[in-house]
Amino acid sequence: RIGGITGEYAKEYYFDYPTVGPIARFILISPDLTFSDGQKHTYTAGTAHYNWVVNAIDSARGAGIRWVIVGMHKTCLSMGVKSCEIGAGLMNLLISKRVDLVLQAHDHTYQRSKQLALGPACPAVPVGVFDANCVADDGSDDVYTAGNGTVIVIDGSFGAGLTDINPADPEARYFVKWMGFNTLGSRRGFMKYTVSDTDISAQFIGSTSGTFTDGF
């Protein structure tokens, strides 16, 4: 078992790994999900849930934990069929805090973003349009520099059937690698992440026939 859970398991919680001398904090949140008891978490600026995320990130940085990884079910930027359901404010919070890796699903595709960062020329990453000023690294060489920004990985390719990718979507330019039902070589699969104190490496593991692969 994981152990060392802070927060409410399966809804809003984090844990550090390993428990002694941790190198990574995994923060799991539930924007735009409604639970069986009718509870729904809202992550707009100033709310208790938004502030909980801020504290979870800041306390990890303050403790000298090397990597901060945030996972959730729904998405914001996407070249698939889903819209920004988590809210642009939450997405930009994670980018402003330079969360290393954001893990999402919901869109039944695979999408890996360029490395995104805020700055004087990009006060916020816009939704529905592309702003090149928000790209710190285009990721075309499959290598990103730690600390320079946030990489988003949408991997919804393991459960329900794949859905289409739209390369003409304005948000497509935020992504460097993608796969959907309508792309050549598409297949089901999942991501394997290897985390050390010096780097995070990721590899798409195919589980059905097809040729798509990715790694960074």
Side-chain angles (χ1 to χ4, degrees):
R1 297 182 181 275
I2 295 170
I5 295 291
T6 298
E8 187 175 4
Y9 179 72
K11 293 183 178 180
E12 183 179 78
Y13 67 102
Y14 67 80
F15 62 92
D16 299 335
Y17 188 84
T19 53
V20 177
I23 59 172
R25 173 164 294 181
F26 296 86
I27 303 170
L28 290 306
I29 56 177
S30 300
D32 202 49
L33 298 184
T34 301
F35 302 107
S36 58
D37 59 2
Q39 181 184 13
K40 187 171 183 176
H41 288 182
T42 299
Y43 289 86
T44 52
T47 61
H49 295 294
Y50 181 97
N51 292 338
W52 184 92
V53 175
V54 170
N55 179 69
I57 296 170
D58 288 351
S59 60
R61 300 297 193 201
I65 296 174
R66 182 70 178 87
W67 306 106
V68 176
I69 300 162
V70 178
M72 68 202 75
H73 176 61
K74 293 190 176 183
T75 64
C76 187
L77 298 178
S78 175
M79 54 191 295
V81 300
K82 299 300 183 181
S83 60
C84 182
E85 294 175 286
I86 69 168
L90 174 59
M91 176 190 70
N92 277 292
L93 168 66
L94 302 179
I95 296 171
S96 72
K97 294 290 186 181
R98 303 208 173 205
V99 166
D100 298 288
L101 194 59
V102 173
L103 306 180
Q104 298 174 328
H106 194 43
D107 232 323
H108 295 286
T109 61
Y110 176 85
Q111 303 175 57
R112 168 166 58 97
S113 80
K114 300 172 181 179
Q115 193 174 40
L116 306 177
L118 306 188
C122 173
V125 176
V127 174
V129 297
F130 175 69
D131 185 349
N133 295 312
C134 301
V135 176
D137 188 321
D138 68 8
S140 59
D141 61 356
D142 303 329
V143 177
Y144 304 95
T145 300
N148 280 4
T150 299
V151 177
I152 300 169
V153 177
I154 302 170
D155 182 27
S157 60
F158 194 66
L162 296 173
T163 53
D164 286 350
I165 283 287
N166 178 15
D169 188 312
E171 293 177 353
R173 295 175 67 190
Y174 287 119
F175 294 90
V176 64
K177 197 71 176 284
W178 57 82
M179 179 269 294
F181 180 75
N182 60 331
T183 59
L184 187 66
S186 62
R187 59 175 170 169
R188 305 288 187 89
F190 60 92
M191 289 298 286
K192 176 184 178 181
Y193 295 94
T194 304
V195 183
S196 75
D197 57 355
T198 58
D199 59 54
I200 298 175
S201 62
Q203 184 67 45
F204 180 86
I205 307 296
S207 61
T208 61
S209 61
T211 58
F212 175 80
T213 189
D214 188 33
F216 65 92

